[in-house]
Amino acid sequence: QVQLVESGGGLVQAGGSLRLSCAASGRSFSNYAVGWFRQAPGKERDFVATITSGGGLTRYADSVKGRFTISRDNAKISAYLQMNSLKPEDTAVYYCAATGSSWPSVSLARYDYWGQGTQVTVSS
């Protein structure tokens, strides 16, 4: 089983940046696609970004495309989400997840492993 722990969340002003980290454990992590999802109060958990096991392919939600960048470092058993030009509507708990397969997905159901989330708050 893969364990994931997010960090790097906090309070920033609109237009600012944050870099979220996802520290993983488990030998299989390098074989799995990774995704970032977010959940705002009173809303469902939404797809943000995903990356293949080798890092060669990425996909982003339209709402974050051009502002967020997903990456991974399998040697460090970690994944990251660089968030730039943050907006108040980006405020949410951000979750790191791993699929259990090498191919990425935008569907929550395809992810077998989840972290506990890190809070991102963007003030206006």
Side-chain angles (χ1 to χ4, degrees), residues 41-92:
K43 301 186 69 176
E44 69 275 10
R45 191 171 299 185
D46 292 329
F47 167 76
V48 175
T50 189
I51 187 169
T52 52
S53 59
L57 185 150
T58 59
R59 182 183 291 271
Y60 299 90
D62 289 341
S63 59
V64 306
K65 194 173 299 181
R67 299 189 298 121
F68 291 10
T69 302
I70 187 172
S71 62
R72 67 188 297 162
D73 187 340
N74 287 336
K76 296 182 178 179
I77 319 178
S78 299
Y80 309 94
L81 185 69
Q82 178 66 46
M83 305 185 295
N84 299 324
S85 301
L86 284 162
K87 305 174 181 179
E89 51 262 45
D90 295 319
T91 296

Side-chain angles (χ1 to χ4, degrees), residues 21 61 64 82 97 105 107 117 119:
S21 296
V64 306
Q82 178 66 46
S105 175
S107 175
Q119 177 70 49

Side-chain angles (χ1 to χ4, degrees), residues 10-20 38 64 67-68 81-91 94 120-124:
L11 174 64
V12 297
Q13 294 183 352
S17 298
L18 282 174
R19 188 182 192 234
L20 305 184
R38 65 186 182 185
V64 306
R67 299 189 298 121
F68 291 10
L81 185 69
Q82 178 66 46
M83 305 185 295
N84 299 324
S85 301
L86 284 162
K87 305 174 181 179
E89 51 262 45
D90 295 319
T91 296
Y94 283 71
V120 172
T121 302
V122 184
S123 64
S124 59

